[in-house]
Amino acid sequence: MMRRFKKIQQVLLYVLFLNLAVAFAKIAYGTFSNTLSMTADGYHSLFDGISNIVGLAGIYIASRPPDKDHPYGHQKYETLASVFIAILLIYVAFEIFQASLGRFFSRDVPGVTSVSFLVMLGTMGINYLVTRYEHREGVSLQSQVLIADSMHTKSDIYVSLSVIVGLVAVKFGYPLLDPLIALVISFLILRAGFRIIKQSSATLLDMSQLDEDEICDVVMGVEGVLDCHKIRTRGSMGDIRIDMHLLVRPDMPIEEAHLISHSVSKLLKAEYEGVSDVVVHIEPAIPLPQESNSKKTS
């Protein structure tokens, strides 16, 4: 688990450096050329970097071992970091939206040069590589923060593509398309933020993570298990927890029943990647009383 957290921190540090470089290039040239859509995209990338810092803080806390106040560990702090990233995204979306509305009533015309296109194409290429790398590592490490942040960075690619379209429109004499593209960008950012909140809420609200019937089918393959019920799952990617009730023979020795529970736990952890804890409650399979066909006589 500690190796996993250290690897996630390493990925976030790499991505932070690249996001800050991309943000500086867009904001600097967007401000210089008075191109609102490019500047807005730059601030979007800047908040990518801020979200990386939030992710680093969340991972640092989540990596702490269980203690008296947190007997189940601190893993949900990683999910909380994802929610905070989403809130930052929503804030940026509203800021860009307000700036775009103001530009509609302004006569400022952005200056578009070949450097504008080079900056946007170069930063878009970097974002593409960052997205592929971060999402791949997020899936491999079962990290909500990395996957959420890769979704954030992926939206940068579409945003940058929209900015390039806006620059072409300005070049051909349609400057109002610049704030219009910025409006589209704000909605894309807003959408990404709500998607992250939706995914993170599944963990914070303890929504079921695995199919109960499928788990029961797997468990029934263990010798000695007669039936299973009351299966519950919760947690997040890389930290899924399962608790269930198993029915065994009423005359089974407690030592044998205990070994069966260990076998079930080991099997589920091997079958489902990311399962960190399995709690098994053993119950005797008491047969239902059979109805008597005899008639009472007086």
Side-chain angles (χ1 to χ4, degrees), residues 19-234:
N19 279 334
L20 291 178
V22 166
F24 177 78
K26 290 178 184 177
I27 293 173
Y29 199 79
T31 304
F32 173 76
S33 61
N34 197 31
T35 308
L36 179 61
S37 57
M38 184 185 290
T39 306
D41 191 18
Y43 280 110
H44 184 199
S45 298
L46 180 61
F47 271 81
D48 275 346
I50 294 175
S51 70
N52 296 148
I53 296 174
V54 172
L56 284 168
I59 287 297
Y60 174 76
I61 299 174
S63 64
R64 294 177 180 176
D67 54 34
K68 184 179 179 180
D69 295 326
H70 304 84
Y72 292 100
H74 299 75
Q75 286 84 353
K76 281 191 177 180
Y77 280 96
E78 181 179 352
T79 307
L80 284 175
S82 301
V83 173
F84 194 75
I85 289 171
I87 293 173
L88 288 176
L89 278 173
I90 294 171
Y91 172 76
V92 172
F94 279 112
E95 287 294 313
I96 295 174
F97 180 80
Q98 289 181 346
S100 303
L101 291 181
R103 178 58 69 88
F104 278 111
F105 303 101
S106 173
R107 295 184 178 181
D108 295 335
V109 178
V112 179
T113 64
S114 57
V115 179
S116 302
F117 291 100
L118 288 175
V119 169
M120 292 309 303
L121 288 171
T123 54
M124 190 167 65
I126 293 173
N127 283 335
Y128 175 76
L129 295 175
V130 167
T131 299
R132 291 287 302 273
Y133 168 67
E134 193 170 20
H135 187 269
R136 184 181 69 247
E137 293 297 323
V139 172
S140 174
L141 297 168
Q142 297 286 294
S143 169
Q144 278 187 308
V145 162
L146 290 183
I147 292 178
D149 199 50
S150 70
M151 288 172 59
H152 187 181
T153 308
K154 185 177 181 180
S155 69
D156 263 3
I157 298 174
Y158 300 114
V159 169
S160 298
L161 190 60
S162 302
V163 172
I164 292 173
V165 173
L167 292 177
V168 173
V170 172
K171 192 74 172 176
F172 282 94
Y174 299 97
L176 280 179
L177 280 178
D178 180 47
L180 187 62
I181 293 296
L183 280 175
V184 174
I185 291 172
S186 68
F187 283 112
L188 286 174
I189 297 173
L190 190 66
R191 178 172 171 266
F194 280 116
R195 284 180 65 189
I196 293 172
I197 288 178
K198 182 180 178 181
Q199 292 180 355
S200 300
S201 64
T203 299
L204 296 176
L205 298 176
D206 284 338
M207 292 180 64
S208 180
Q209 299 294 318
L210 300 172
D211 184 78
E212 297 175 9
D213 293 333
E214 185 179 314
I215 291 175
C216 192
D217 290 340
V218 172
V219 170
M220 289 298 291
V222 177
E223 186 178 357
V225 176
L226 301 181
D227 201 359
C228 55
H229 64 153
K230 293 185 180 179
I231 300 173
R232 298 184 299 180
T233 62
R234 64 183 179 87

